[in-house]
Amino acid sequence: MLGLIQYELPMIAFEFICSAVPFLIFLLTIRLLGKKRMRHAGVEKQARGGRERVRVRAAWVYFFVFMVYVTGVFHYTGAGTLWEPLRYGGVDLSTQELNLIPFSRGIDVTGYALNVVLFLPFGVLAPFLWKNMEKFRNVLAGGFMFSLLIELSQLLNNRSTDVDDLVLNTAGALIGYAIYGIVASFLPEAAKAAGRIKTNPALVITVMFLGRFLLFNEMWVALELFRY
């Protein structure tokens, strides 16, 4: 437990900073440019009613949870960064690290279950946040592309890049989408926050990934933590 507090939590916190801060800067820039265009066009921002303000705030709470979740996925899966090929001396494309044939390496029930569970929150949270993600095919594509981004990045750090993970992650996103449908049917007000976040989900994940890819040097952080 002490090791978790001294190492894992600071590591995850730094990962979140590397992922979230560049995105928040990007989002702030987009919003400022949008407001500037609206002023030049003479468009007045409409005042929101009390219920609408509540929905917007709920959407931003969902959005913060989504950002924490994305950071957790990057951490758990060991998504690759710019610094790892430098540390390992290049990229390893050996057959031991790359599996392109589905379910050809035996059945690992625990590992398969974890891969499914890992992407359940994506299928639940994305439709709550974005109107276009209320469609089955968009959750399917989003879960697949999110998983593919991680699997391809793992080529940089000698972790296994496995098509099984891609299939199971996508299946997890779809199961999460089914859970979203059940929750939304019982709590329709919760689903009304969708559409209040304008930034495209693919853009959110991509910018967060690039922030972590460029800024997160795990070995440097580990050395700094063990120094104290």
Side-chain angles (χ1 to χ4, degrees), residues 86-102:
L86 300 177
R87 186 164 77 242
Y88 294 127
V91 177
D92 182 9
L93 296 179
S94 68
T95 55
Q96 291 181 343
E97 303 297 335
L98 185 62
N99 175 34
L100 300 178
I101 303 175

Side-chain angles (χ1 to χ4, degrees), residues 104-136:
S104 61
R105 295 185 172 181
I107 302 297
D108 177 5
V109 175
T110 301
Y112 284 2
L114 289 175
N115 273 299
V116 171
V117 170
L118 185 64
F119 270 61
L120 283 175
F122 179 86
V124 175
L125 289 170
F128 275 123
L129 281 166
W130 293 283
K131 275 286 183 186
N132 64 328
M133 296 303 288
E134 292 178 338
K135 297 179 180 179
F136 175 88

Side-chain angles (χ1 to χ4, degrees), residues 72-82 84-85 88 90-94 96-99 115 118-119 146-166 169 209 212-213:
V73 172
F74 290 155
H75 176 81
Y76 177 78
T77 59
T81 70
L82 174 67
E84 287 161 324
Y88 294 127
V91 177
D92 182 9
L93 296 179
S94 68
Q96 291 181 343
E97 303 297 335
L98 185 62
N99 175 34
N115 273 299
L118 185 64
F119 270 61
F146 185 18
S147 179
L148 182 63
L149 175 67
I150 293 169
E151 292 301 313
L152 292 177
S153 76
Q154 289 175 337
L155 293 171
L156 302 175
N157 57 12
N158 296 338
R159 291 176 68 97
S160 176
T161 298
D162 197 332
V163 69
D164 293 0
D165 296 345
L166 185 61
N169 291 160
F209 174 82
R212 183 183 183 277
F213 178 80

Side-chain angles (χ1 to χ4, degrees), residues 12 18 121:
I12 295 173
C18 291

